[in-house]
Structure formats: structure tokens, C-alpha cells
């Protein structure tokens, strides 16, 4: 009696591994550019095909069962081999270096996975990443010091393409109280794209506030905010470690929507940078 051969789907295994790493279907769906329903269906079919439960669903997240732990090791090996094959056999004509500039407020959660996918598809291309303020990146791009850049801006500059829109939100320490203080303690980096609109929103609302820090380094603002010394403004998509969006119920002024913009050359001018821009469009859309 013959046994019907069964095949494991690589895309499903990638979803399985990502859920195991993040502990969340929602975060995994975002990372893989899928809907939550699609990734949920993938796991359901995988469990049915293997006739075993791979995850325990709890309020704390998705936890691997003993069967899931076993599958995880094999799944990682299969994905590594798949990615190696794809990397070696595809796009051999592309090699070189891309200079990419990105502001620090939109690196997470999307950019790491975008770069990972690009490196998988174009293994001979080196990406030189520069992290700087949007204004500085614009100047570098205009001078030819960057091949393509992402920015967070209120208005689109010449040659820019809007690939996403994100509202700026007030953030503070987890369960913090700094936002209740008067005057409101605020910290924003010196050249932050949000600075002007944030301060104007406060002044327009005739809100009592004071700036407790205006450093060049965003890490200083993050540390002060996480310590509940102050509040700041961040994009709503940002992964916030030690901080959370303030549920102020209208007590603080509403902040505007910002645009995530890509500045990149045409395909005819620079095909490699044009290809990278396509990954950024998909990843941030």
C-alpha cells in the first residue's frame, strides 16, 4: 500500500517561524506583509496537515507546544536552505553598493525585514545605511551623497513619493504620569521633523508646557521619556520599548499626520537603487 507524499509549504513555514520568534500573529503578519487572517489560515492548514497542535494560544501570546519546538528546528533549516538557493540563483547581474539614508524614527518595525528580504534576493549587493534627520538626508541626497533616502515630512519635496502616512502621537512612560504635569514637560530632538508642528499645536491650544531637553540624539529623548521625566511625539507605527501611546482622552492637542517619503532615482538612472525603492514601497505601504 503506497503512502501519499505530503509537502511542506515554504511560505507557511516562514509564517510559522516568524510567529515562534515574535509570539504574535499580528506582529508576524506585519513583518511578512500579510493580513492576520491569511497567516492564521496558514497555521491552521499546517496543523491540520501534520495532525498536531503547534501553538498554545494564551493571553501572553503564541507559545510553541513540544511538537512545535520540534518542527521549529527543521523549519529554520529548510528556510535557510531555500533562501541560500534563491540568493545564489537569482539576480546575478546585480552587484555593488547602495547608499540608503533613513531617519531613526521609522527604522522599526519595518526596515530590518525589508533589508533582510532585499539581501536574500540580491546577495551581491551591499547596503550602506546612514541614519540621520530627514532635513540632513535631503541635503545629502541633493549633493549625491546618498543613492536613495526615506524621510518623515509634513510636505513632499521635489522628486519625492509618498509611500505611507502616519499620525504623530504623544508617548510617555508605561503607566507614566508626566503627561499630567503642568507645565507639560516635553523633549524633542533638536532637528526633529515634528518639532515645529508639535510646539505650534501646544501654543495654539494655549497649553502650558516647557522643553526639558532638545538633544541631537534620539536615544536621550527615549531614555527621558521611558523614565517618566517627560513626554514626546512619535509616529504611531513605531515600536516603543518602555514607552506607550498616551491615552489622554483629548487632554493633549492632536498632532498632525506625517508622510513617509522615498526619494529615489528613475530606473533608467540607477536600476539598483530603483529596485531597492520598490522594496521600501511595499514594506511601508
Amino acid at each position: 500500500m503506497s503512502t501519499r507524499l505530503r509537502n511542506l509549504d515554504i511560505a507557511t513555514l516562514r509564517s510559522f517561524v516568524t510567529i515562534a520568534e515574535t509570539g504574535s500573529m499580528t506582529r508576524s503578519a506585519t513583518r511578512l506583509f500579510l493580513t492576520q487572517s491569511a497567516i492564521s489560515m496558514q497555521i491552521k492548514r499546517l496543523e491540520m496537515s501534520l495532525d498536531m497542535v503547534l501553538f498554545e494560544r494564551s493571553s501572553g501570546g503564541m507559545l510553541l507546544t513540544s511538537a512545535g519546538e520540534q518542527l521549529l528546528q527543521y523549519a529554520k533549516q529548510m528556510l535557510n536552505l531555500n533562501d541560500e538557493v534563491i540568493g545564489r540563483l537569482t539576480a546575478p547581474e546585480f552587484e555593488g553598493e547602495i547608499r540608503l539614508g533613513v531617519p531613526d524614527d521609522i527604522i522599526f518595525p519595518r526596515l530590518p525585514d525589508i533589508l533582510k528580504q532585499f539581501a536574500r534576493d540580491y546577495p551581491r549587493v551591499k547596503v550602506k545605511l546612514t541614519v540621520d534627520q530627514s532635513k540632513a538626508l535631503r541635503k545629502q541626497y541633493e549633493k549625491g551623497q546618498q543613492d536613495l533616502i526615506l524621510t518623515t515630512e509634513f510636505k513632499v519635496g521635489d522628486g519625492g513619493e509618498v509611500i505611507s502616512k502616519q499620525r504623530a502621537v504623544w508617548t510617555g512612560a508605561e503607566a507614566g504620569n508626566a503627561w499630567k504635569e503642568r507645565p507639560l514637560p516635553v523633549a524633542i530632538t533638536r532637528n526633529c521633523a515634528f518639532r515645529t508642528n508639535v510646539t505650534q499645536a501646544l501654543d495654539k491650544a494655549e497649553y502650558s508646557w516647557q522643553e526639558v531637553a532638545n538633544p541631537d540624539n534620539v536615544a536621550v529623548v527615549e531614555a527621558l521619556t521611558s523614565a517618566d521625566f517627560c513626554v514626546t511625539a512619535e509616529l504611531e507605527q513605531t515600536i516603543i520599548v518602555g514607552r506607550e501611546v498616551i491615552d489622554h482622552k483629548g487632554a493633549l492637542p492632536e498632532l498632525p499626520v506625517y508622510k513617509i517619503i522615498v526619494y529615489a532615482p528613475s530606473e533608467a538612472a540607477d536600476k539598483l537603487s530603483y529596485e531597492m525603492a520598490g522594496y521600501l514601497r511595499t514594506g511601508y505601504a
Side-chain angles (χ1 to χ4, degrees):
M1 181 178 178
S2 63
T3 302
R4 182 173 63 88
L5 292 176
R6 292 180 293 176
N7 298 310
L8 293 170
D9 178 67
I10 291 294
T12 299
L13 290 181
R14 197 176 300 280
S15 296
F16 166 75
V17 170
T18 306
I19 294 172
E21 292 174 345
T22 64
S24 165
M25 279 198 181
T26 301
R27 287 193 292 271
S28 299
T30 299
R31 182 179 291 188
L32 295 172
F33 316 127
L34 296 171
T35 63
Q36 186 171 342
S37 60
I39 204 170
S40 177
M41 184 60 69
Q42 284 182 328
I43 299 305
K44 183 178 180 180
R45 288 174 179 169
L46 180 60
E47 290 182 323
M48 290 177 62
S49 69
L50 296 174
D51 193 23
M52 58 182 60
V53 177
L54 302 174
F55 291 102
E56 292 179 358
R57 282 77 168 173
S58 69
S59 58
M62 304 283 288
L63 302 176
L64 286 171
T65 62
S66 57
E69 291 282 2
Q70 274 190 305
L71 177 61
L72 182 62
Q73 305 308 315
Y74 290 111
K76 286 183 175 180
Q77 293 177 40
M78 294 175 69
L79 289 177
N80 287 338
L81 183 58
N82 174 83
D83 294 348
E84 182 180 347
V85 171
I86 294 296
R88 288 184 179 275
L89 298 182
T90 61
E93 72 276 12
F94 285 108
E95 57 182 307
E97 179 180 276
I98 296 176
R99 298 168 299 173
L100 170 64
V102 183
D104 50 20
D105 54 355
I106 57 171
I107 291 178
F108 294 101
R110 302 186 186 279
L111 187 62
D113 290 307
I114 294 170
L115 294 179
K116 184 177 180 180
Q117 290 189 26
F118 185 82
R120 178 197 66 199
D121 296 341
Y122 301 96
R124 300 185 185 184
V125 177
K126 178 181 178 182
V127 178
K128 183 179 180 181
L129 183 65
T130 297
V131 179
D132 211 331
Q133 303 287 346
S134 293
K135 289 181 180 179
L137 291 173
R138 284 280 303 277
K139 292 180 180 178
Q140 294 167 23
Y141 181 70
E142 291 166 2
K143 293 178 179 179
Q145 297 170 346
Q146 301 292 345
D147 297 313
L148 73 164
I149 59 172
L150 286 178
T151 64
T152 50
E153 300 177 85
F154 193 57
K155 296 181 179 179
V156 188
D158 293 340
E161 175 190 349
V162 178
I163 59 175
S164 182
K165 294 181 181 180
Q166 295 286 332
R167 180 169 293 282
V169 292
W170 293 104
T171 62
E174 294 177 350
N177 292 301
W179 69 275
K180 300 176 184 177
E181 297 178 14
R182 298 295 179 273
L184 179 72
V186 178
I188 307 177
T189 52
R190 185 170 290 111
N191 296 311
C192 179
F194 307 154
R195 168 178 287 278
T196 299
N197 288 321
V198 168
T199 57
Q200 286 180 350
L202 288 166
D203 291 339
K204 184 177 180 180
E206 298 182 350
Y207 213 89
S208 175
W209 66 281
Q210 64 176 351
E211 191 167 49
V212 298
N214 62 343
D216 292 320
N217 193 332
V218 70
V220 176
V221 173
E222 292 175 348
L224 291 173
T225 307
S226 298
D228 203 24
F229 286 167
C230 60
V231 300
T232 192
E234 302 180 77
L235 292 180
E236 57 187 348
Q237 71 158 17
T238 305
I239 287 182
I240 303 168
V241 179
R243 307 183 307 286
E244 63 184 9
V245 176
I246 298 171
D247 183 18
H248 54 80
K249 295 181 172 59
L252 298 178
E254 186 175 88
L255 299 176
V257 172
Y258 284 85
K259 299 173 178 66
I260 297 179
I261 303 167
V262 62
Y263 293 85
S266 66
E267 184 176 10
D270 184 345
K271 186 171 177 58
L272 192 54
S273 296
Y274 178 83
E275 290 292 322
M276 167 60 86
Y279 281 72
L280 295 173
R281 290 186 190 95
T282 301
Y284 282 92

